[in-house]
Amino acid sequence: MTHDVIGGPLSVHLVVTALLAGAAATTTTTTTAAADAYAALTAQIRRVLHRRDEDEVVDAEVAEDVHVPEQRAALTDTLVAAGAGDDPEVLAHARHLLVVLGYRSALEPVD
């Protein structure tokens, strides 16, 4: 597994972590900034998936379902195949959402 900040499995893991955190936040009382950041991330993921003609739709319902390991693995595989971990806009939105939600430790580099 790579430890690169951009690209590779860790980048997709960052995106999936942000989706899970965003989905959890949307089921509780959340700030407008968090809701907006989550919506922006899912919009960027839809853009990447549509660019690759994927039929997957990433929204709150799908993200809530990724708490099931098999579904999370399927979403991760889809995002890897679509190149989401290599897309700077997706990564920027994922990082922004995690910062808004207070998940700064998820952004620390891995040695």
Side-chain angles (χ1 to χ4, degrees), residues 81-103:
D86 298 317
D87 188 290
E89 291 181 50
V90 170
L91 294 174
H93 284 283
R95 286 187 188 100
H96 176 69
L97 175 58
L98 289 171
V99 168
V100 168
L101 294 174
Y103 286 85

Side-chain angles (χ1 to χ4, degrees), residues 10 14-15 23 28 31 35 37 41 43 51 62 69-70 91 93 101 109:
L10 284 181
L14 177 82
V15 174
T28 63
T31 65
L41 174 59
R51 182 178 66 212
V62 173
E70 296 81 17
L91 294 174
H93 284 283
L101 294 174

Side-chain angles (χ1 to χ4, degrees), residues 56-75:
E56 300 288 327
V57 175
V58 178
D59 57 17
E61 292 175 13
V62 173
E64 288 170 7
D65 290 342
V66 294
H67 291 289
V68 177
E70 296 81 17
Q71 292 171 339
R72 183 173 50 245
L75 176 61

